[in-house]
Amino acid sequence: MAEQTDDPTTPIVEVPGVTSNGLQNEKTKSEDVENEPNPSTNSKKDDRKDDQDIVDSVFQVTIKLPHEPYETQVMVSTQEQVQDLRQSIVEQPGAFQYSCFHLEVNGERINDFVELSEVKELGPGSELRLVEDPYTEKEARMHMIRIREIIGAAGDRVDTLHGISAGLSLHDDVVPLGFSEGDSLVNGKTSDSATSKVSHPLLDYDFDSPALISTLLPPAQDPLPKTIKSICTSAWNPPPHHLRQRGHLLYLQLTTNEGEQYQITSHISGYFVNRSSNSKFDPFPRLPPRDSAAHSLLSLIAKLSPSFDEAFISLQESNNKRDPLTTFQLTNSIPSNPWLVATAASSLAAHQPDFARTQETYLMSGVENTETLRDWNEEFQSIRELPRETVQDRVFRERLTSKLFADYNEAAARGAVMVARGEVAPLNPTESKDAQIFVYNNVFFSFGADGVGTFASEGGDEAARVAVGKDVVGVRAVNQLDIAGLFTPGTIVVDYLGKRLVGQSIVPGIFKQREPGENQIDYGGVEGRDVVAENEVFVPVFSTLSKALKVKKHAVWDKEGKKHVLEGSVETKGLLGTDGRKYILDLYRLTPLDIVWLEEHWSDLSCDNTKTRKDNYPHRMAVLRPELIEAYWRLKMGDYVKEEFEKREDIPQSSNDEEITIPDHEHHEVNDVPSQDADNNLVLNDENGEGNKEQKRVDISAFSLALNPDVFCAQVPQTTEEKEEWVRDEQEVRAVGDYLHGKVVPDLIQDLKEGEVGFPMDGESLGRLMHKRGINMRYLGKVATLAEDQGSRLQALKALTVQEMVARAFKHIANCYLKNLPLPFATACLSHLLNCLLGVGFNEAPQPQIDDDLRFFYSDADYSFAEANPQSLKSDIQDEVKLRYRYELNNTWVSNIKHVQLLREIALKLGLQLIAKDYRFIAESDAQRSEQPAPITNGATTHSTMNGHVVNGTNGRKKKKNGENHSSNLINISSPPTPQVTFAPEDIPNIFPIVKDACPRSTLAEEALEAGRISMMQNQKELGQELLLESISLHEQIYGILHPEVARLYHQLSMLYYQLEEKNVAVELARKAVIVSERTLGIDSNETILSYLNLGLFEHANGNTNVALVYMRHALELWKIIYGLKHPDSITTINNAAVMLQHLKHYHESRLWFETSLSISEEVSGKQSVNTATLCFQLAQALALDQDPKGAVKRMREAYSIFLAKLGPEDRNTKESESWLEQLTQNAVSIAKHAKDLQARRIRRVMLTPRVTLGTHPQPQVGQSPADAASGRDARGMMGLDPRSIDELMRFIEGGGETAKLTPTKKGTTRSNPKRRGGSSVQ
């Protein structure tokens, strides 16, 4: 398939109410509209007129072609460039053969590098003529690559950066493209019509079955139609000098499906068959009638091979069976690599012969390989200097930025892999290995280790490793702020084979030898903190940065006691490049140290004899997160504003109706929000928003909160005044640490306990949730400790945090072994360590599998991993967890391991790709005697597990009852004979690098999205939808379609359109979100699962319930893989599936799913919780529909009892459940009477209202809080109770009454609780 490029068909408009600095807060914007004259509102008519003018600039043009079909139509926008139009043309099926051409309008040639708006006489209905151009050598090579891709002749690629099956999508295998609701799917496969009436996709779903790893593999595919046997460059390349002068560019060799071999000359005029053979060189055209020539290689192949056209059509038809998003190449992001892949022997990973595979580097880069060498630094800084005044300027600038970062990240990651493998010579080979530096592809590489002793007092190698990780985060933060005149080098961190490498674009002058007395650095610390440089030219830009990052201007002192006033940390350096630009370097200390943590867990061992290295925290680079600083700033701002209002005589001291906000430019949420006027005052409005009331303002210019990042860093103030100020700075930083310990972490625990935020599914979502709250991962132990003895729901959190700590500890241990180990032994090392951790139940004493022949060639390598055994590894992990997270693992943690889930976490952290096969975690003889697995409690097991599922007993070796064979310890995929150990080196076919980049997000695209949301909140639906469409267009233009940020946008907007009852649009966006998430975030990432769940919800709302259930089933299978059984948030999903089954009139199956949901709720929330009562209420209704009046009465009585005890007799839920209980009891006989009608399928679907119990509910985002969601959620329970009476249910059972049957377009059918997801932030 042709490569997808950005196609901005939606016009660019100036976003109302948006400036280059960002948007107003939502509440601020709303209040300003209601209480103040709003320029955007006053000019709304003008804006819409301008919008319409731009919409009119999208039109259709006709392209006249030189060959069949001789013309084609293309939709264009005047905002596009001619290059975009060219790409649109060559993607047309009738124009595949063109690559070297220009366009003409009315005989005038069009410049390829201008916007269409600059092309004269171009408008709706215009005709453009495509004129073929002569080839150059580069264009001939590019044409060859393109044609190979189009005709399917490019074989599989072996890539050092992209792993096996990189960018895989399973969506079209879950539900085939073009599948309709009229078909029937069972387990994702089409069933025949005879069984469709009784079948449904959830028919044989087993909640207690182990995770099916086959879920992560695509089914075996039929081979694509083969159009030719091979095409490659000929052995006669390159053309000799005298023929190059005559226009010869390349010589190719083609073998058709008929077995004919042709030698082809690529000439400036096109392609022709020459008279050469494998042994004779004669590159001139054949004589008639055997001659054949064409301008395009595609056309020439069609002339030479009689079967080509038919095969090529079949290939296109096969490609069209899949969604185009699943086949387009990723150009602006690194594709995700699945952690489980098919075996090399399978058709999914077969290695095919391809002569041109090794020639692709030459085809892409030329003989001299100079076309891929780029001056990365100059490109980065030139783009930063582009104008940004207009929206069009910003779109162009951000689009180039995104593409450049993607290209740089890929090139730097490839270089880092080569450096780690020892394939690049160091610039300083005489230095120690950790101190060596490298330059490859114009990227400067160094190791994330303390090779020269810079961090000797901070923790050595551990501190250096953390510092480079923090540095890339700091560079990203500076890039996001985009401060004019301040430049950063391109920066990337790569973890590979136990080594951490940092790659940076080469800053001009960084290697320059300075004159005696001159410093290498122009601003900040030169040699640690001993020498400090000052330069006034850096003050303005550093001051702007510091204000944005809440960094205080402060004094520091060098080793001689001389005072220097800096705008940032002494560790942050400024360098004046030889290009005249001001560069900022070493951004790992933008925030202060977490002194509360360090004082408790770290001390300088040279001065403190009470601690040993084993007890001391590994490093002193424990800094506070920027999110925590922002949260603390918002807290203090809110306190300041409230205090100011309390001083006013006309405002009561405790006014709960007032709202407080932060200034516009901060653009962050606060607990309560004020608006800001033009005079930098905060405006307080009454909650009712009446514009005629007097607005109350407060001046915030006196408020200031900035932190000194250099406190607690051995600085020595000299005067009394300096010492006093330093003490105040220390107290402020300490207060932030206390806020983290005493407020932020406990609040997170409380929110998760109450179920008011989405529960994390795996380590990645747990880390994202903690980081969003400003909590560092070193607090995992504290989170686990606080979660103890807090109920079943938090036991699930504890189990997840323990698993994450074990996985991270294993990563650190493995990295220590891998760091000095040659590449050929990496898989032997990793497989042995995995056997010692996960395979000990299968083999208690695993032995490493080392190739002694290879070992002979690496006699000086460190093979210490071979000495590891299960006992030593267990002890090492316990020590690592205690050292890094201050948590004591109990003695049963090994038996509580969820094998598949922990294996996945380890693989993702180390970049492992494992063969999907029958891994045995316990011995087969033991498995045959073990009992049936007992259900786990929210992932927190107290017995041994197999594949993440509990086995009764303490050792999992009890005899099975009745000889049942429960192979819960197996991954259900056929495999070779059982090995002596669980993992063999061959089971790890690839290790891919873990990349951390500094690419900023697009502020313009986010502004358009926020403006659209605000307009929708203000009921300006037409304007809001225009802005939302504009946001989609901007995201796709700037990032490209296949990008994680675009996936999150699709997911977010699908939720918004679902709330707006635009169900078709919601389904389409959700489908795109699924595919893009799979290809960029992972086929089993937590965000992909949420996208699948929402896609199922939207399909059901759109009337496609069978399809919805297939998506739900796939998501539930993925959920088992990444978490295990009974995730706390799975209650919502199971309820949704039960409602869908009721819609399909599978009442008994629906009842079973409701019962499962109740069972999980009883374990997660407790049997006496309000959530459980709500589910009892639901189940009672389902039992009534399933002809079980006694069971219905029992469950309703349970619900009533809980509501009465928890909420009191006057609560609405208590009264409703009491009413239902009375009527169910009175009508038990009547319900039994109607059982016959029930069996006859005369029941009609209950009409769902926004409060009905039997409605579907969007799955909550991980960490989503009520403040982020739309209004309307019942704070006491996950779902509201059904307000209908039992009489309505009876009429429903009888098929009469006023209850209407659910239709796909009925409003309100699936919006029973919009607050669960509406308006959520991007996760």
Side-chain angles (χ1 to χ4, degrees), residues 24 43 118 310 368 433 477 486 552 610 684 731 911 1015 1051 1081 1110 1125 1133 1241 1302:
Q24 291 184 342
S43 60
E118 301 177 28
E310 182 180 353
E368 304 296 333
K433 190 171 182 179
L486 186 62
K552 180 180 179 180
T610 61
L684 190 70
Q731 290 174 344
S1015 298
H1051 178 86
L1081 298 171
V1110 176
L1125 302 178
T1133 300
R1241 298 298 184 190
L1302 177 67

Side-chain angles (χ1 to χ4, degrees), residues 210 799 803 837-842 892-903 919-923 926-927 930-957 966-970 1123-1125:
Q803 175 179 285
L837 177 64
L838 299 175
V840 67
F842 180 75
T892 62
W893 71 269
V894 175
S895 61
N896 292 339
I897 285 176
K898 295 191 287 186
H899 294 88
V900 170
Q901 288 72 32
L902 182 56
L903 176 62
Y919 293 113
R920 299 180 181 271
F921 297 113
I922 66 171
D926 296 335
S930 63
E931 282 191 351
Q932 178 178 352
I936 63 173
T937 304
N938 307 321
T941 62
T942 56
H943 308 290
S944 66
T945 60
M946 298 183 299
N947 258 22
H949 308 292
V950 180
V951 180
N952 286 344
T954 57
N955 57 11
R957 300 183 179 180
H966 297 280
S967 56
S968 61
N969 60 311
L970 306 182
Y1123 176 82
L1125 302 178

Side-chain angles (χ1 to χ4, degrees), residues 135-137 140-141 143-144 231-240 242-254 261-277 280-286 291-298 300-301 304:
Y135 288 94
T136 63
E137 195 250 353
R141 289 188 279 107
H143 185 75
M144 167 75 165
I231 184 170
C232 60
T233 56
S234 165
W236 298 112
N237 271 301
H242 69 286
L243 294 178
R244 213 177 300 168
Q245 297 296 328
R246 300 181 62 176
H248 289 212
L249 305 174
L250 294 173
Y251 300 128
L252 310 178
Q253 181 174 300
L254 167 70
Q261 187 178 94
Y262 297 91
Q263 299 282 339
I264 297 173
T265 296
S266 172
H267 191 263
I268 58 174
S269 62
Y271 294 81
F272 60 82
V273 178
N274 63 38
R275 294 178 287 194
S276 296
S277 67
K280 184 186 72 171
F281 181 59
D282 188 358
F284 296 101
R286 284 183 177 181
D291 62 326
S292 188
H295 186 269
S296 170
L297 181 59
L298 184 68
L300 180 61
I301 295 173
L304 297 176

Side-chain angles (χ1 to χ4, degrees), residues 378-395:
E378 183 60 31
E379 289 190 48
F380 275 118
Q381 316 320 335
S382 297
I383 290 177
R384 285 195 177 96
E385 292 173 335
L386 288 174
R388 62 183 90 179
E389 283 74 23
T390 67
V391 172
Q392 285 78 10
D393 289 341
R394 294 178 65 191
V395 170

Side-chain angles (χ1 to χ4, degrees), residues 965-1077:
N965 183 20
H966 297 280
S967 56
S968 61
N969 60 311
L970 306 182
I971 294 176
N972 297 323
I973 299 177
S974 59
S975 65
T978 305
Q980 295 301 313
V981 289
T982 303
F983 300 94
E986 297 77 19
D987 294 331
I988 308 176
N990 185 46
I991 303 174
F992 60 87
I994 306 298
V995 177
K996 301 176 182 178
D997 62 56
C999 183
R1001 301 187 312 277
S1002 167
T1003 55
L1004 178 62
E1006 292 180 354
E1007 287 168 4
L1009 174 62
E1010 199 69 13
R1013 280 177 172 168
I1014 293 172
S1015 298
M1016 301 303 293
M1017 290 174 58
Q1018 297 171 354
N1019 293 323
Q1020 300 179 29
K1021 187 173 181 180
E1022 182 179 348
L1023 177 61
Q1025 290 189 333
E1026 288 178 4
L1027 290 170
L1028 293 178
L1029 289 174
E1030 181 62 25
S1031 175
I1032 295 176
S1033 175
L1034 289 172
H1035 274 82
E1036 292 177 348
Q1037 286 184 67
I1038 292 168
Y1039 294 116
I1041 296 178
L1042 297 174
H1043 193 279
E1045 290 299 324
V1046 178
R1048 295 180 179 114
L1049 172 79
Y1050 287 152
H1051 178 86
Q1052 209 170 353
L1053 289 187
S1054 68
M1055 283 299 311
L1056 185 55
Y1057 277 102
Y1058 172 67
Q1059 299 294 343
L1060 295 173
E1061 297 294 331
E1062 298 283 351
K1063 297 173 185 174
N1064 288 328
V1065 180
V1067 167
E1068 182 61 28
L1069 289 171
R1071 185 178 292 112
K1072 288 184 176 182
V1074 164
I1075 297 174
V1076 180
S1077 293

Side-chain angles (χ1 to χ4, degrees), residues 1043-1167:
H1043 193 279
E1045 290 299 324
V1046 178
R1048 295 180 179 114
L1049 172 79
Y1050 287 152
H1051 178 86
Q1052 209 170 353
L1053 289 187
S1054 68
M1055 283 299 311
L1056 185 55
Y1057 277 102
Y1058 172 67
Q1059 299 294 343
L1060 295 173
E1061 297 294 331
E1062 298 283 351
K1063 297 173 185 174
N1064 288 328
V1065 180
V1067 167
E1068 182 61 28
L1069 289 171
R1071 185 178 292 112
K1072 288 184 176 182
V1074 164
I1075 297 174
V1076 180
S1077 293
E1078 285 183 322
R1079 302 199 65 195
T1080 61
L1081 298 171
I1083 56 176
D1084 61 345
S1085 75
N1086 58 85
E1087 293 182 67
T1088 299
I1089 293 177
L1090 289 176
S1091 295
Y1092 264 115
L1093 291 173
N1094 281 346
L1095 177 56
L1097 176 67
F1098 304 157
E1099 286 281 14
H1100 168 66
N1102 218 25
N1104 301 323
T1105 305
N1106 258 315
V1107 177
L1109 289 175
V1110 176
Y1111 288 130
M1112 302 291 277
R1113 179 173 185 135
H1114 182 70
L1116 287 170
E1117 293 289 358
L1118 292 177
W1119 218 330
K1120 282 185 181 180
I1121 292 171
I1122 76 168
Y1123 176 82
L1125 302 178
K1126 301 183 180 179
H1127 186 274
D1129 282 352
S1130 64
I1131 298 171
T1132 301
T1133 300
I1134 296 172
N1135 270 283
N1136 288 344
V1139 172
M1140 294 176 190
L1141 288 171
Q1142 282 191 347
H1143 177 60
L1144 295 176
K1145 299 185 179 180
H1146 297 295
Y1147 300 110
H1148 182 67
E1149 290 84 351
S1150 174
R1151 162 190 174 171
L1152 297 178
W1153 281 69
F1154 276 124
E1155 288 175 344
T1156 301
S1157 175
L1158 176 61
S1159 173
I1160 297 175
S1161 179
E1162 288 177 344
E1163 293 188 24
V1164 170
S1165 303
K1167 293 186 177 182

Side-chain angles (χ1 to χ4, degrees), residues 208-234:
D208 297 323
S209 65
L212 293 175
I213 301 302
S214 58
T215 305
L216 299 181
L217 292 179
Q221 303 287 341
D222 294 331
L224 292 173
K226 201 169 182 64
T227 56
I228 60 173
K229 285 189 176 180
S230 70
I231 184 170
C232 60
T233 56
S234 165

